[in-house]
Every structure is written in structure tokens, then in C-alpha cells.
Amino acid sequence: MVPVVKKSPLDDPENAAHAWARFRKIMRLLMAVTVATVLLAVGLLYAFNGAISVHFYIAVALGISFTMLLGGGLMGLVFLSNGTGHDESVDNRLPSRDELWSSKDGD
């Protein structure tokens, strides 16, 4: 008999819809903060350095945007997974770190 794996709360369509709506809200807020940060950074660069190559400003804008959106998106997924209880439903049957190290000491 195979043990039953706990169901994820994200399997319920109502919980999943609520969780993804919250994730989209977080991403909209992150996008607004990212746009403000990029505008501030480009404005400060222009104020202190004057007219530099347009490629420099594009690179700065893309670098800041990519970094903030990727990091924020991944953190948002962590919050989604933890906040819904999805993490608790994971079946981890691997031995703990302490069990692994004690078995290699020659016991």
C-alpha cells in the first residue's frame, strides 16, 4: 500500500485564485517601485555625468529592471508557496543532515 501524499492547498481552485491574485498584486507594486528606481537612477546619472551615450542609460535601465524584477518575482513565489501552505505539503523522505553525518563517522 502506497502512503497518501498530502494535497497542496494550491490544488483548490479558490485558494489558488486568491494566492495568484496576491502574487499579481505584489508584482504590480514591484513594477511601480522598479520604474521609480530606474527613473531616479537615470536622472541621477544624467545630473552628475551629463549626456553620456544612450547605450549607457539603456544598459543601466535594463540592468536595474532585470535585477529587481527577477529577485522580486522569485521572492514573490517564495511568499506564495509559504503563505498558502504549499511548502507543508511537500513529501521529503530524505534523511536529515544529522543522520547522514552520523552514519559516515564509522558507526
Side-chain angles (χ1 to χ4, degrees):
M1 176 155 248
V2 178
V4 177
V5 178
K6 292 182 355 182
K7 287 186 73 170
S8 169
L10 288 176
D11 291 338
D12 178 28
E14 189 175 320
N15 282 345
H18 175 71
W20 286 110
R22 183 173 167 230
F23 177 75
R24 284 189 296 274
K25 182 179 177 182
I26 290 171
M27 290 305 293
R28 279 192 299 271
L29 177 64
L30 178 64
M31 185 62 158
V33 170
T34 299
V35 168
T37 303
V38 167
L39 291 175
L40 178 67
V42 170
L44 287 173
L45 283 171
Y46 184 77
F48 287 110
N49 296 319
I52 306 176
S53 171
V54 69
H55 299 99
F56 178 75
Y57 291 112
I58 292 170
V60 167
L62 288 176
I64 292 171
S65 299
F66 180 75
T67 303
M68 287 184 67
L69 292 174
L70 179 65
L74 292 173
M75 286 303 297
L77 289 173
V78 169
F79 294 147
L80 178 131
S81 179
N82 185 36
T84 59
H86 183 70
D87 292 349
E88 299 300 321
S89 66
V90 173
D91 185 17
N92 184 6
R93 295 180 191 203
L94 295 174
S96 71
R97 180 180 61 102
D98 295 332
E99 292 171 349
L100 284 173
W101 283 103
S102 65
S103 66
K104 292 184 179 181
D105 290 338
D107 291 336

